[in-house]
Amino acid sequence: MTTLAPATLPAEVLAAIAQATAELAPPERVYDTLRVQTERLLETDAFYLALWDEARAMLHFVAHHDAGQRIPPTETPLGQGPTSWVVRNRRSYRYQGADDLPPGPARIFGSGHRSGSALHVPLLVGDRLVGVISAQAYREGAYTADSQRLLEALAAHAAIALEVGRIARTTRELEHEVRRRLDQLDALGQVAHLLATADDAQRTMEATAREGMRVFGATRGGVLLIAPRAGPVECPVSINLSRRYLDAVTARFHQTPAASRIMAGEPVFLEDAPTLPGSLVAEETEAEGFRSLAALPLMYSGEIIGLLAFMHDAPHAWSAAERRVAATFADQAALAIGKSRLLDRVTRAKAEWQAVFDAAPSGLAVLDRDGRIQRANRWIADLAGVDPAALPGLELKAATSEWPSGAADPLVRARIAGAPVTTLVPGHGGRLLVLTAAPQDDGRTVAALDDVTEVVRTEARYHALFRAAPVAIIALDRDGRFQSMNDAAAGLFGAELAPRRLADAVVPAERDLVAASLDASFRGERRDFIFHVAQAGGTVREAQCVAVPVEERGGVATVLVLARDVTDEMLLRERVGHSEKMAALGLLVSGVAHELNNPLAGIAALSQALLADGSGDDGTDRVLQSIRGEAERAGRIVKDLLAFSHQRPLDRRAVDLNAVVSAAMATPSVHPDRWDLALAPDLPSAGGDAEQLVQVVLNLMGNAEHAMADHGAGRGSIRTWSDGTWVGCEVLDSGPGIPPDAVGRVFEPFFTTKTAGLGTGLGLSISHGIIRAHGGEIRAQNRADGGARFWFELPRGDAAAPR
């Protein structure tokens, strides 16, 4: 419930209000303009305009819209609701929802649907309260401090429009009343003419007091002004009256017996004032020295605005004719004083309006039928580089460096369309201007100019940075559809925008994760997650993302996603980590193998010597044979460990992967009936060791057959291919797939998912080492339709170096 710093209204809003002001529109027309412009600025389910009648202490609701329904005008006295609170405090009131208690019970309009949020803003012209406007939304939390600033800025212009219209209508009514009175008054025609032509309230009151003293032969006189609703009394004009007497009268006026009669519009004539019984100012009157008093109420527009007082130093009998003249004179004086005061207010309001007009942060101009300026503010003068006094008669194009011609002329377009037209025009010095031309019924045009140079430049810089950013940036709507993307995003997700959704670019297994993360972002949360992008052609890339909600008018309608392709980074990290583990493990295995070789060789040699001696019986020989056999088997295991830690040098030659697969299929341990082959014809050769590559294929096939056997049945397939620089081979099985927590560890030494005793965990580690030694890559993943996929790629030719 605080007043905030003013906000800047759009040019079209200012133009609409300026139009209503220029037309001296009645409150009903101003209401329609305010409602339309408020709905343009804010979320508005309901809107009303209430005018404050201070004299009657009544709120006049000009109109009220609720859920599209217009409610007729009503009147109500001040109550305890938000509107009455704004009238009493002359401050804005913002209601945010159930947790924000309003000042009191509010009136229920139209549909009866209570507002979840509301803004109530006073309409002030200087220190005068004109009324209250209110925008309401059914949704809680719909209005922010910025919303309040916008409505307060709108209210400042609206108050001027309403006050200027009211003053103009009052002036017209006054002029009519003056003409009627002047026709009726013959005897005081010249005096009425002099009084009616006064253009300053103070001078008019002084002239009225002196002229009345002359007409009635009084020795003293003055004018008292009474504030509405029997408010304070002041004495702007006094002739031959002391300060002491004036202070007593102004302080005690409403307590005197004559006050009630004067406030009822009845003149008071006293032939001998000091003898009046019960007078609260008898002492001051005695000291002042006058004896006779005429107090003539001044009634203007149906209310008492003050009184004229004329005194005689001797008792004075007021005749009936003199009293009629006094009443007529008071009527004329009231008109003259009221008109001059109204003129003062009009002049002051016009000056205030002109100050607002000139101080507007954008250009405003009223153009004649030929597009020439009739009135414009200082902003237009500065833009055209001329003195404000030189603006009338100039064409608006003087404020621009290039004006659209022919059918593109915005003034011509606005007249043809019969509606406001907005266009971008260049200004002097490289400025960019937004011009809004609003045609009027009388053939004139209201034009508004806004300097958007920095906005356009900032937007251009933003778009350049947006497009050049090395990180993929996309904007998504609530359905996950692409709204915009930069070049990096087009490279990662594909160049198409609509009607693609982010889910369309994600591998199927991760779509639920992405959808849940985006839902959380639309609820206002920031989310970090990683997913895999399925690109055209079957390539899969790994992306690290941050989803950030974008607040718009109190809600999240857009989520900004920043994505970085981390595929190569993750592969490099995986390779470095795996290399470090393999190096450390190789050193450990090499040391252990060398330490075991000597004892095993001794055991084998000793058992062989004992057998050769021939001194033992059959049982002893069998034991020695078993010892020698186990020692030799342990030696072979040590040899495999040495092969893992120190793989033998490659016998690199041109190798046909199709031939490698065929050789593996011919191995007795393989079951050919469980496999389908899809070998690419004319497959280019790769540089490598055929024997070691056969070992790799056998290891992959053996693992696949074991997985399918555990799963009950199924067939596997082997495929070869070439994509230009690489030659590849993949082994697919229909087994249960790799457990999710084991996908990243399958190539680790001694790691196995097989039952204890059925595998050593070295097969895939040795295969990994062989393929890396060939300069290639070997990978594993689960298939979308079930089973596992293991594949390796080798460079074409024989020049690749080991990794």
Side-chain angles (χ1 to χ4, degrees):
M1 294 182 282
T2 58
T3 301
L4 305 171
T8 301
L9 295 175
E12 58 269 28
V13 175
L14 293 173
I17 299 177
Q19 177 182 347
T21 305
E23 293 176 351
L24 304 176
E28 294 77 15
R29 169 71 187 285
V30 174
Y31 168 84
D32 290 331
T33 300
L34 295 179
R35 180 178 61 82
V36 170
Q37 301 309 318
T38 302
E39 290 175 350
R40 176 180 292 179
L41 297 172
L42 305 172
E43 178 180 345
T44 308
D45 295 315
F47 178 85
Y48 69 75
L49 164 63
L51 299 182
W52 170 237
D53 187 343
E54 189 170 11
R56 298 167 55 229
M58 295 290 288
L59 282 166
H60 172 63
F61 288 86
V62 176
H64 191 293
H65 269 77
D66 188 6
Q69 176 188 1
R70 180 163 182 154
I71 295 96
T74 57
E75 280 194 344
T76 182
L78 280 181
Q80 299 301 315
T83 309
S84 299
W85 187 94
V86 173
V87 169
R88 292 190 180 94
N89 294 276
R90 302 197 175 194
R91 288 188 295 153
S92 297
Y93 176 75
R94 175 156 49 107
Y95 171 64
Q96 293 288 65
D99 295 331
D100 185 10
L101 296 176
R107 293 187 62 194
I108 304 301
F109 296 88
S111 67
H113 193 139
R114 286 192 174 274
S115 301
S117 308
L119 282 175
H120 306 276
V121 176
L123 299 169
L124 295 168
V125 177
D127 59 353
R128 184 175 184 274
L129 179 69
V130 177
V132 178
I133 60 173
S134 175
Q136 299 135 56
Y138 296 151
R139 182 174 61 84
E140 292 190 359
Y143 299 127
T144 64
D146 289 335
S147 305
Q148 180 176 334
R149 293 190 186 95
L150 283 172
L151 196 58
E152 287 176 345
L154 185 71
H157 295 278
I160 293 174
L162 289 166
E163 184 69 358
V164 169
R166 186 190 71 82
I167 291 172
R169 289 189 298 276
T170 304
T171 302
R172 286 195 293 267
E173 294 169 1
L174 173 63
E175 289 173 346
H176 175 75
E177 181 71 7
V178 168
R179 284 193 297 270
R180 188 175 69 84
R181 290 289 184 177
L182 287 175
D183 290 340
Q184 294 176 348
L185 296 176
D186 296 327
L188 298 177
Q190 184 62 37
V191 174
H193 173 72
L194 292 175
L195 295 176
T197 56
D199 59 357
D200 179 88
Q202 184 66 28
R203 285 200 297 268
T204 298
M205 288 185 288
E206 290 176 356
T208 300
R210 293 189 182 279
E211 192 64 27
M213 289 175 63
R214 183 185 66 80
V215 170
F216 302 116
T219 54
R220 309 168 195 267
V223 178
L224 293 184
L225 294 180
I226 304 171
R229 293 181 296 171
V233 177
E234 61 173 322
C235 181
V237 175
S238 65
I239 301 173
N240 299 329
L241 293 171
S242 69
R243 183 79 267 163
R244 179 171 179 264
Y245 176 75
L246 294 175
D247 290 343
V249 170
T250 55
R252 305 173 199 163
F253 172 79
H254 290 295
Q255 287 79 42
T256 62
S260 59
R261 295 167 58 189
I262 292 172
M263 295 304 295
E266 179 186 347
V268 174
F269 297 96
L270 300 177
E271 295 185 1
D272 197 350
T275 63
L276 185 67
S279 174
L280 298 177
V281 292
E283 182 181 344
E284 288 77 8
T285 301
E286 182 97 31
E288 201 66 19
F290 66 85
R291 302 298 300 272
S292 172
L293 168 68
L296 310 176
L298 299 172
M299 180 171 289
Y300 180 75
S301 293
E303 65 178 2
I304 300 297
I305 63 172
L307 64 87
L308 277 171
F310 300 111
M311 298 88 162
H312 296 83
D313 288 344
H316 181 81
W318 292 85
S319 66
E322 196 174 26
R323 294 187 183 202
R324 286 195 299 271
V325 172
T328 302
F329 183 87
D331 288 342
Q332 292 292 339
L335 288 173
I337 293 172
K339 180 180 178 180
S340 60
R341 292 179 70 197
L342 176 62
L343 185 60
D344 279 353
R345 288 199 294 269
V346 170
T347 303
R348 190 162 55 250
K350 180 180 178 182
E352 292 171 352
W353 182 86
Q354 187 65 47
V356 172
F357 185 73
D358 284 335
S362 58
L364 296 173
V366 180
L367 312 177
D368 62 17
R369 293 176 179 270
D370 299 324
R372 297 186 179 277
I373 296 174
Q374 290 182 327
R375 170 180 285 185
N377 64 355
R378 185 174 297 277
W379 202 93
I380 296 286
D382 294 340
L383 202 64
V386 300
D387 188 87
L391 283 175
L394 287 180
E395 291 184 335
L396 188 61
K397 65 176 65 176
T400 68
S401 61
E402 182 180 343
W403 186 265
S405 59
D409 188 320
L411 302 182
V412 175
R413 290 168 54 203
R415 282 197 293 270
I416 293 174
V421 169
T422 300
T423 187
L424 192 67
V425 296
H428 299 297
R431 298 166 105 179
L432 291 173
L433 308 172
V434 169
L435 167 67
T436 299
Q440 308 300 302
D441 294 338
D442 60 1
R444 296 186 300 171
T445 302
V446 174
L449 281 169
D450 275 306
D451 188 343
V452 295
T453 308
E454 288 305 315
V455 174
V456 172
R457 288 175 180 170
T458 300
E459 186 174 354
R461 286 195 296 269
Y462 162 76
H463 281 296
L465 292 172
F466 176 75
R467 291 182 60 85
V471 175
I473 304 174
I474 57 175
L476 303 176
D477 64 14
R478 281 198 167 272
D479 293 327
R481 289 190 297 263
F482 292 104
Q483 292 180 314
S484 61
M485 65 167 60
N486 65 349
D487 294 345
L492 180 60
F493 298 104
E496 290 184 25
L497 277 176
R500 288 196 68 205
R501 300 185 307 128
L502 180 61
D504 299 333
V506 179
V507 297
E510 297 175 351
R511 287 175 182 169
D512 290 343
L513 166 67
V514 173
S517 299
L518 293 180
D519 287 344
S521 293
F522 278 109
R523 293 194 301 270
E525 300 178 20
R526 167 182 165 150
R527 282 300 179 98
D528 299 284
F529 55 96
I530 293 178
F531 64 89
H532 290 80
V533 179
Q535 295 182 326
T539 304
V540 176
R541 306 292 293 178
E542 188 171 5
Q544 184 177 24
C545 289
V546 177
V548 182
V550 179
E551 292 281 347
E552 297 174 318
R553 297 186 65 178
V556 179
T558 303
V559 164
L560 196 66
V561 175
L562 284 74
R564 187 166 62 92
D565 187 340
V566 295
T567 308
D568 296 334
E569 177 183 325
M570 297 301 288
L571 287 175
L572 180 59
R573 185 179 300 172
E574 177 187 339
R575 291 168 187 165
V576 170
H578 193 73
S579 297
E580 290 175 350
K581 287 192 292 184
M582 295 294 285
L585 190 57
L587 288 174
L588 174 63
V589 169
S590 176
V592 171
H594 282 295
E595 290 297 325
L596 289 176
N597 259 341
N598 291 334
L600 288 174
I603 292 171
L606 183 57
S607 61
Q608 180 64 33
L610 290 174
L611 283 171
D613 181 57
S615 58
D617 54 23
D618 290 341
T620 302
D621 287 345
R622 283 196 302 273
V623 171
L624 292 174
Q625 287 285 1
S626 176
I627 291 173
R628 186 179 71 174
E630 291 303 318
E632 289 174 350
R633 192 170 77 85
R636 287 194 298 273
I637 293 175
V638 170
K639 183 179 179 181
D640 286 343
L641 290 173
L642 287 173
F644 166 73
S645 60
H646 300 292
Q647 292 169 0
R648 64 178 176 81
L650 298 178
D651 183 10
R652 191 182 291 275
R653 299 181 184 181
V655 175
D656 181 0
L657 281 187
N658 288 344
V660 169
V661 173
S662 298
M665 291 291 293
T667 304
S669 61
V670 173
H671 301 83
D673 58 324
R674 298 182 182 177
W675 295 96
D676 296 322
L677 299 182
L679 305 181
D682 303 323
L683 189 69
S685 63
D689 188 320
E691 183 180 346
Q692 293 195 35
L693 293 176
V694 169
Q695 181 183 354
V696 171
V697 175
L698 284 173
N699 282 339
L700 299 182
M701 293 175 67
N703 286 343
E705 287 189 353
H706 186 275
M708 290 188 290
D710 285 349
H711 203 46
R715 296 180 60 82
S717 62
I718 302 176
R719 186 175 70 93
T720 59
W721 74 87
S722 173
D723 63 359
T725 59
W726 298 88
V727 180
C729 175
E730 70 177 0
V731 177
L732 307 175
D733 66 57
S734 56
I738 308 169
D741 58 344
V743 172
R745 302 184 59 195
V746 292
F747 294 108
E748 291 183 7
F750 306 112
F751 179 81
T752 180
T753 60
K754 298 177 182 178
T755 305
L758 297 180
T760 63
L762 289 174
L764 289 178
S765 299
I766 293 173
S767 299
H768 182 275
I770 292 173
I771 296 301
R772 298 282 286 185
H774 280 74
E777 282 292 345
I778 183 169
R779 299 177 189 170
Q781 67 176 189
N782 283 317
R783 300 166 60 192
D785 53 352
R789 177 192 181 216
F790 285 83
W791 77 100
F792 63 85
E793 294 176 316
L794 300 174
R796 291 178 59 174
D798 55 1
R803 297 190 178 187

